[in-house]
């Protein structure tokens, strides 16, 4: 018995560390306090009906906050670390059948590359975790049977369909971004399987139907429209009058800021891994694309090392001072101010295109990587049409951050280094520093989800 427990020491130590970290987290004024009083006024059924008809279709998180914020925060402190570990396990399990404890630890460590405000609001905040971490962890779990069939031609074991079905359905009624991702992944998987084998297993069809049903329940909730009107009035009164072009303009500025500034550590991690993978590949090693990408990567690192001039590549707001369409049509008259306003967009668009090319080229599963990249873009694009684009905070970037992590794990596994303890120790440096700084802020100033 003792030897069996000893075999799981690495995971138990990880759980203990995560569990200890959660004791710094308490109820935060606002949603946490509001939801903690729900059980005093409504039964669970009445609460879910009220939320579904007047606010949103997120039935799973609404049920969770009702239960756990009613004197069960101690239980949340146990479940949330388990959800983090489940997410780490699922990210690796999607990519391979056999998963070791060290690979799970590696995946969890990579979550430490999330921006501090994403970690605090989407992973560790009580209400935020139930709306983002939990549905996302369950969503990643629900993708496993499709990944097994597409990548490894493995059929689902008897009884597992029920587990995956529950996980996928709860994810689908938990978070819009996660719901769209798993429904799309399931449908694309079925198409791929049918094109290869001219038949599809009934279990996968049923799971896909269940995921899509959950997604429809979420997206077509009567409360969504009511919520949209209320949040537009509170966060962005002019939002309903914006044209499609306005949405694209505002959304693009927001997306560049989130993707290249707030998620820059994940992006730099993926960039470094991609360079290592490309340099190992004889066909990519001498390519112009790799050389140009290394140059751009070096420029970004140089700015960060010097700590000066970062606005040259990160000032995405300067473009608001100019009329974009007129400036583009009369580009020969552009002055230095306009040029510097456009420069960050030109730089990072080139950077992203080169990174995507190197990621996909010579990959064993290019369609999968392309789907992940498009899904990242899709999770950002849906926010273009949300009046809380500037009000929801960085927790809406949690899904995109998880997808970046999935791609990073895929490339590390392609290098055969997913079980390298030396690489784990090296890549653990940044997460350790990142989490230590968050810990210190919470320890000295109290818990705050919006860093």
């Amino acid at each position: 018995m003792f030897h069996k427990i000893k075999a799981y020491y690495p995971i138990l130590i990880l759980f203990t560390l995560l569990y200890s970290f959660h004791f710094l987290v308490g109820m935060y004024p606002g949603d946490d306090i509001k939801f903690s009083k729900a059980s005093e006024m409504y039964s669970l059924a009445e609460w879910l009906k009220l939320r579904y008809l007047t606010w949103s279709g997120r039935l799973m998180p609404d049920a969770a906050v009702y239960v756990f914020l009613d004197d069960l925060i101690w239980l949340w402190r146990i479940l949330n670390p388990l959800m983090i570990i489940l997410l780490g396990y699922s990210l690796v399990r999607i990519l391979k059948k056999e998963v070791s404890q060290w690979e799970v630890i590696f995946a969890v460590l990579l979550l430490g590359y999330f921006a501090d405000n994403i970690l605090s609001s989407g992973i560790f905040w009580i209400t935020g975790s139930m709306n983002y971490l939990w549905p996302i962890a369950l969503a990643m779990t629900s993708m496993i049977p499709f990944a097994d069939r597409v990548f490894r031609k493995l059929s689902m074991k008897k009884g597992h369909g029920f587990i995956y079905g529950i996980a996928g359905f709860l994810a689908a009624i938990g978070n819009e971004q996660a719901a769209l991702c798993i429904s799309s992944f399931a449908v694309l998987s079925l198409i791929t399987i049918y094109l290869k084998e001219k038949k599809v297993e009934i279990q996968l069809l049923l799971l896909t139907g269940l995921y899509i049903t959950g997604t429809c329940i979420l997206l077509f909730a009567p409360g969504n429209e009511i919520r949209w009107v209320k949040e537009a009035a509170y966060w962005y009164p002019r939002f309903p009058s914006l044209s499609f072009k306005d949405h694209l303009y505002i959304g693009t500025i927001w997306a560049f800021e989130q993707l290249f500034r707030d998620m820059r550590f994940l992006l730099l991690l993926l960039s470094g891994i991609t360079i290592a993978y490309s340099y190992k590949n004889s066909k990519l090693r001498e390519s112009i694309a790799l050389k140009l990408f290394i140059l751009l990567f070096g420029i970004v690192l140089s700015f960060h090392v010097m700590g000066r001039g970062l606005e040259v590549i990160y000032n995405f707001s300067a473009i608001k001072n100019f009329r974009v369409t007129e400036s583009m049509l009369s580009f020969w008259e552009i002055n230095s101010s306009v040029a510097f306003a456009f420069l960050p967009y030109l730089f990072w668009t080139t950077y992203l295109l080169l990174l995507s090319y190197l990621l996909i080229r010579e990959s064993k599963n290019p369609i999968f990587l392309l789907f992940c990249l498009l899904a990242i873009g899709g999770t950002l694009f849906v926010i273009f049409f949300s009046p809380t684009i500037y009000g929801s905070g960085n927790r809406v970037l949690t899904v995109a951050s998880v997808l970046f992590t999935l791609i990073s794990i895929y490339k590390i596994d392609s290098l055969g280094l997913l079980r390298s303890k030396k690489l784990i120790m090296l890549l653990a440096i940044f997460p350790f520093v990142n989490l230590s700084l968050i810990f210190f802020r919470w320890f000295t100033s109290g818990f705050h989800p919006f860093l």
Side-chain angles (χ1 to χ4, degrees), residues 48 51-53 55-62 172-176 214-224 227:
L48 292 179
R51 297 287 290 179
Y52 191 75
L53 295 177
W55 194 250
S56 85
R58 292 184 178 183
L59 295 174
M60 190 275 281
D62 283 337
I173 60 171
N175 179 278
E176 295 82 2
T215 301
C216 290
I217 290 173
L218 174 69
L219 297 181
F220 297 110
N224 289 338
R227 177 187 181 185

Side-chain angles (χ1 to χ4, degrees), residues 240-265:
S241 63
L242 295 178
S243 66
F244 182 76
K245 185 176 73 171
D246 292 331
H247 283 292
L248 291 181
Y249 172 71
I250 293 171
T252 299
I253 295 173
W254 174 85
F256 268 78
E257 289 176 342
Q258 308 307 310
L259 185 59
F260 300 113
R261 190 176 63 196
D262 291 355
M263 291 195 285
R264 64 186 180 277
F265 298 121

Side-chain angles (χ1 to χ4, degrees), residues 15-273:
F15 171 80
T16 302
L17 290 172
L18 289 170
Y19 177 64
S20 301
F21 199 79
H22 281 72
F23 277 95
L24 286 173
V25 181
M27 284 201 296
Y28 187 75
D31 285 346
D32 287 351
I33 303 298
K34 171 186 173 183
F35 295 143
S36 69
K37 298 177 181 178
S39 61
E40 299 174 6
M41 298 179 284
Y42 310 99
S43 67
L44 177 59
E46 290 171 338
W47 168 251
L48 292 179
K49 180 180 179 181
L50 175 70
R51 297 287 290 179
Y52 191 75
L53 295 177
T54 64
W55 194 250
S56 85
R58 292 184 178 183
L59 295 174
M60 190 275 281
D62 283 337
V65 296
Y66 180 95
V67 172
F68 291 101
L69 283 169
D70 183 20
D71 298 325
L72 288 178
I73 294 177
W74 64 269
L75 184 56
W76 171 83
R77 290 195 175 102
I78 296 174
L79 292 177
N80 210 55
L82 291 176
M83 282 294 182
I84 294 173
I85 293 173
L86 175 64
L87 176 57
Y89 168 80
S90 299
L91 288 172
V92 180
R93 182 63 181 81
I94 287 171
L95 302 175
K96 55 195 303 185
K97 186 176 186 300
E98 300 297 331
V99 180
S100 72
Q101 292 183 72
W102 286 106
E103 289 170 330
V104 175
I105 292 171
F106 202 159
V108 172
L109 279 173
L110 293 184
L111 301 180
Y113 282 83
F114 287 18
D116 57 1
N117 45 29
I118 298 175
L119 284 171
S120 60
S121 62
I123 304 295
F124 291 111
W125 178 30
I126 299 175
T127 296
S129 66
M130 296 175 192
N131 279 272
Y132 291 91
L133 170 62
W134 292 18
I136 294 168
L138 293 171
M140 292 295 126
T141 303
S142 72
M143 291 166 62
I144 291 173
F146 295 92
D148 274 344
R149 197 72 188 88
V150 173
F151 301 145
R152 294 172 284 277
K153 297 184 178 180
L154 297 173
S155 297
M156 203 184 330
K157 293 182 179 179
K158 290 183 179 180
H160 286 196
F162 177 77
I163 298 172
Y164 292 128
I166 292 295
F169 185 75
L170 289 177
I173 60 171
N175 179 278
E176 295 82 2
Q177 295 165 316
L180 291 170
C181 283
I182 61 171
S183 294
S184 300
F185 184 76
V187 170
L188 291 174
S189 296
L190 292 182
I191 293 172
T192 301
I193 294 167
Y194 182 78
L195 290 176
K196 288 182 178 180
E197 304 177 16
K198 302 303 178 185
K199 61 180 181 179
V200 177
E201 293 179 359
I202 187 66
Q203 282 183 301
L204 295 181
L205 278 172
L206 291 173
L207 285 179
T208 302
L210 191 60
Y211 299 173
I212 292 175
T213 299
T215 301
C216 290
I217 290 173
L218 174 69
L219 297 181
F220 297 110
N224 289 338
E225 185 176 353
I226 298 172
R227 177 187 181 185
W228 194 94
V229 172
K230 289 182 178 179
E231 291 196 326
Y234 182 81
W235 292 108
Y236 205 139
R238 292 196 308 111
F239 199 80
S241 63
L242 295 178
S243 66
F244 182 76
K245 185 176 73 171
D246 292 331
H247 283 292
L248 291 181
Y249 172 71
I250 293 171
T252 299
I253 295 173
W254 174 85
F256 268 78
E257 289 176 342
Q258 308 307 310
L259 185 59
F260 300 113
R261 190 176 63 196
D262 291 355
M263 291 195 285
R264 64 186 180 277
F265 298 121
L266 274 173
L267 191 65
L268 291 175
L269 171 67
L270 181 58
S271 299
I273 296 168

Side-chain angles (χ1 to χ4, degrees), residues 8 38 72 105 201 205 207-208 221 265 305 319 323 376-377 393 405 424 437 440:
Y8 292 96
L72 288 178
I105 292 171
E201 293 179 359
L205 278 172
L207 285 179
T208 302
F265 298 121
V305 171
I319 201 169
R323 294 182 179 275
I376 290 171
T405 305
I424 290 177
L437 291 173
F440 180 75

